[in-house]
Amino acid sequence: MNHSRHRARPVLALTTTSFLLAALAVPAFAAPVPGTDVLYTLDADFDNGVSQDVNHDAPNNNQLQLNRSTVFFPYVNVAASARGTMVRIDVNTGQIVGEWASAPDGRGRNPSRTTVDKFGSTWLSNRNEGAGGRGSVTRIGVIQGGTRVDSDGTANPAGDYLKGPFAYNKCVDRDQDGLIATSRGLGDVRPWTNAGGADDNGGVTTAADECVINYARVTGSNTRTVAVDAQNRLWTGGQDLDHELLDADGQATGTQFNVGCGGYGGLIDKAGTLWSARNFGTLRYDPVAGTHACLDGTHGDYGLGMDPVTGEIWHTNFSGNRVAKLAPDGTLLGAFGHGSQNAQGVAVDNDGNVWVAHSLNGATTVGHLRTDGTYVGNVPLPGGVGPTGVAIDSNGKVWVTNISTNNAQRIDPDAGPVGGGGHTVGAVDMTVDLGAGAGPYNYSDMTGSVLGEITAPQGTWSVVQDGGTNGRPWGTVTWNTEAQGAVPPGTSIVVEARTSDTEAGLAGQSFTPVSNGVTFAKTGRYIEVRATLTANAAGDSPVLSDLRIKTSERTGVFSCQATALNLAGIVSTRANPQDVPCVDDHETLANVQLNAGILTVRATALDARTDQTPDDLTGTAPATTDLATGRARIEQTRVTSGLLTIEIGVIESNASVTCVAGTGGLVPQFAGSSTIASLKINGLSVTVGSAPLTIPLVIGSLRLNSTTTTATSVVQQAVVVDTLLTDVVIGEAKANVEAKPGHPGGSPCRV
């Protein structure tokens, strides 16, 4: 017996790791990581996040790289065409995890194809929508984990809502209540009222289910083709042969064309070429070159599948017991029998097996052949009639949808009798009832196997970090500071972030790209950072060695002080005596007399004040309104020493440091000034104002309006009497910046 399912897969990096949560080293619920400055660099650090198609396996520990083969999500997404819904089945358990309407009330439904995007959400096409010559497509988000609750958050296994933390979530909390309202399973289809025609032309504003994330009207009427490319964009096609491209957000890109063929089932191949089947020939369209061909019926006319190893295309003919194998350039390489006169869907697994659905015309089998054309045998479908679509799941098993018996069945390729070439034929090992009236008419990439293993050789790692307080400003994400970090030519690492004051609210926010080590402005208690690693055409993987997420915590603080009078170290009326950090303080004194050495100083109405804006620098990002100030004011002052009398009117001294725009960001700017209203020396008036002035005295000197500025400080002294034995400073203000420990050269104006 030849079991060939374990053949080596195409290499993208160094190991193979399934996305299935049970196989991950991370817990099923990746709880938020607490902290305002967290470095992720060791295996245990990366395990605090959620990985899709990336690993840190030996011998390449303590770093992330792409899996050798990307592995897709553990679901099969079935278009219950006749019921106008989509049903999502867990491929491991057979449990139906949800059911969703395919379009708003009053719009055409009858979905016939589904395809999975690279983040696990499912696009479907509505075959009955053609109003105004336009069709429609809908995307259903994927969510894993969470707890079922009622609207108030109370746990209830039958609750209408899911409450985080979530292992993974692409649904959107549209009402920002911190919960996700979504289907519980089969038959639980939430309303999509389309009140007043609000969603007629696109949008999901009236959809009660928050996993319905996109509804778009497209140029291809009675849409059938849906195929996702490596950029997560959606290619659509309709019965009128119009094809159109939607971007990753589901918005039209202005790319629309009609070349007179295609419009049925479709896929994107390894080179990014669009294949679209059936009408007036199969379309092969190269979006880079802008070239196309309409292949005739000898190449096939119905289902399309792709060999994940070779990139060759397999194309069924509806009648004639014929499935064609095509080179990626469209050349016919051969045609082979598959065990039935009729066929629709076709899928190729990673182990050289081709699976053919034997169509809705009363068939009860799925054909099995090898990629070399060897016919292995037919798989009986006990309880299954009218197989239309086949797809490969994340375990390598085959799913088939049966339109006449309203069910889906799973085939184990390693079961059943031995057939042609010594290979096992396969046998059904699970049947899932889709309920009355399902009519699952779909043949497409309903598991994501084509995109997941072939078209999009990329993976993601994401983590949620809890800053502890609402409104927390986040400042930088820095990555690949270690030597093993690498981005080979043609590969990329794209890092994005989003924030919210609730964990569940993150899903309602859009990711925006951040630059390595460059300050950005996002606020919220929680931040989610996602790193997307993309391989080049040769299969080289980038390496994420480390990633650090920090809040906008400043690298320094302001300091400030104001002193009304200081006689030989005897201080009167000082604001913020500790100096560091700057705080709001105000000290006053009606009058004072101080004596030291040969000097006596009398002063009235002493006032010292310090101020900082904002009052608390913690948790706020630097801004041009940030500053620290010191001010000292004395109404009247009299200094005497023997035969010398100095009489001074109002003295005011000011010092400030302000964050201003500079090279590379905000920088501190220092300023100092003082004024002296009047001055008499032994009764003789001296004009002073605010300009610096030094006056010789018998006992020393009198210095006025002195400003001393350094790279980190400014000191303003209004009056200094300098003698050999004793000094007096009247009206001193200081403003400084001080670096925090571990941040040499740090500043409150920088993070």
Side-chain angles (χ1 to χ4, degrees), residues 101-104 117 121-124 126 136-141 170 172 174 192 202-204 207 209-217 234 246-251:
S102 72
D117 75 12
S121 299
T122 307
W123 282 103
L124 55 89
N126 288 299
S136 71
V137 292
T138 299
R139 180 159 51 177
I140 310 298
K170 297 304 295 181
V172 176
R174 282 191 287 272
W192 192 351
V204 295
D209 196 305
E210 292 178 320
C211 286
V212 179
I213 56 176
N214 288 100
Y215 173 68
R217 298 296 301 275
L234 181 74
L246 305 184
D247 66 18
D249 294 323
Q251 303 300 311

Side-chain angles (χ1 to χ4, degrees), residues 355 379-380 382 398 410-417 424-430:
W355 306 90
V379 182
V398 183
R410 188 179 71 182
I411 298 170
D412 182 354
D414 290 337
T424 51
V425 174
V428 169
D429 68 358
M430 180 185 290

Side-chain angles (χ1 to χ4, degrees), residues 73 226 633:
F73 285 73
V226 279
R633 190 177 189 279

